[in-house]
Amino acid sequence: MIETVRGAIAPEALGRVLMHEHLFVLSPEFADNYPEHEGFREDEHVPEAIRRLKELKDAGIDTIVDPTVIGLGRYIPRVQRVAAEVDVNIVVATGLYTYNDVPHYLHFRGPGTLLQGEDPLIGMFVGDIRDGIRDTGVKAGLLKCATDEPGVTPGVERVLRAVAQAHVETGAPIMTHTHAGTRRGLAQQEIFAAEGVDLTRVLIGHSGDSTDLGYLTELADAGSLLGMDRFGLDLLLPFEERVNTVAALCERGYAGSMVLSHDASCYIDWLPAAQLPAIAPNWHYLHITRDVLPALRDRGVSEADITTMLVDNPRRFLAWRYPGAS
């Protein structure tokens, strides 16, 4: 069974999956302390998210994976409000998002700190998976961590190893954020492997920001899935190059190593909302169904390969058992 916001479902109920989308990416301390600035409004943006997901369902997508974790403004009760009104499965994550340091809450707790002891991150992550997040009853379906351009800083390494250890304890799969231009996925795989992670249970996110087929096939040959998951962020890599890279990998037989998505949000406070349509006009939930899939077909990608990337690979990745379970 696969955990979603509305409860566990059978893997075959996932349908077509976008593997990396967000509902709300927020900076709560700014929103709470500077309300006079443009920001999230519950009574406006929650209904808008409901509308957007209904539109996505009408376009033929049945499930999204929302890897919004600590550091990105995760608040599950708000996600539950949306999930209750739509016929789209939402799988949520546990983990911590940082490119450099861990939050100050963790600076004196855990190995190598003043107070030493076991890293509390591991217990937090395991609890979100086994028992549920807070008192919501919603269980995380996967783990999430990040390595960006600064590389494996001490804080980032701590999170990667905590995520890896939570994976080993629970069996939950791992999704990452990476900086593809500096090939950060390879360092992630190295740390995960050292911690005993089965690399077939790892999705190296934002791999689609790269056209380096050597780098991408090296990741895939080690067993991991490639997140071709930023369609619409054309300012980072143009549409044609993203599509051509996926098509080239399919031609080489790597459809079984890729998933598709946008990394889009219904609301993100990292950028001024009024400017987003001009900055990234294609960065929305419908870009893949409207534009990317037709372009892949035009380049000779088969319906079987499209189904592999949208249905089979997500189902295989998200279906897992606790170690030792029958």
Side-chain angles (χ1 to χ4, degrees), residues 198-215:
D198 176 357
L199 294 182
T200 67
R201 309 303 300 140
V202 175
L203 193 166
I204 304 295
H206 309 331
S207 296
D209 286 347
S210 175
T211 60
D212 182 347
L213 297 182
Y215 166 63

Side-chain angles (χ1 to χ4, degrees), residues 185-198:
L186 295 173
Q188 290 180 339
Q189 286 184 324
E190 182 178 354
I191 289 171
F192 292 151
E195 292 288 342
V197 173
D198 176 357

Side-chain angles (χ1 to χ4, degrees), residues 20-37:
H20 191 131
E21 309 291 351
H22 300 272
L23 289 182
F24 311 108
V25 177
L26 303 173
S27 308
E29 288 185 316
F30 283 90
D32 291 344
N33 288 283
Y34 300 99
E36 69 275 14
H37 292 273

Side-chain angles (χ1 to χ4, degrees), residues 166-290:
H167 158 84
V168 170
E169 185 169 341
T170 64
I174 299 170
M175 174 188 290
T176 75
H177 162 107
T178 61
H179 186 268
T182 46
R183 300 163 63 96
R184 295 303 185 208
L186 295 173
Q188 290 180 339
Q189 286 184 324
E190 182 178 354
I191 289 171
F192 292 151
E195 292 288 342
V197 173
D198 176 357
L199 294 182
T200 67
R201 309 303 300 140
V202 175
L203 193 166
I204 304 295
H206 309 331
S207 296
D209 286 347
S210 175
T211 60
D212 182 347
L213 297 182
Y215 166 63
L216 297 174
T217 55
E218 185 175 354
L219 292 174
D221 288 343
S224 300
L225 279 175
L226 306 176
M228 315 306 278
D229 53 20
R230 276 184 160 175
F231 279 103
L233 275 175
D234 301 331
L235 71 167
L236 296 182
L237 189 70
F239 172 80
E240 294 292 332
E241 294 186 49
R242 291 183 185 277
V243 170
N244 289 341
T245 301
V246 172
L249 287 168
C250 285
E251 187 176 0
R252 295 186 180 200
Y254 284 92
S257 298
M258 291 184 284
V259 295
L260 306 177
S261 211
H262 306 95
D263 194 18
S265 311
C266 293
Y267 183 86
I268 178 170
D269 67 8
W270 291 12
L271 298 163
Q275 295 180 29
L276 263 181
I279 296 170
N282 294 318
W283 197 30
H284 56 76
Y285 290 166
L286 300 177
H287 181 48
I288 285 174
T289 52
R290 287 179 177 174

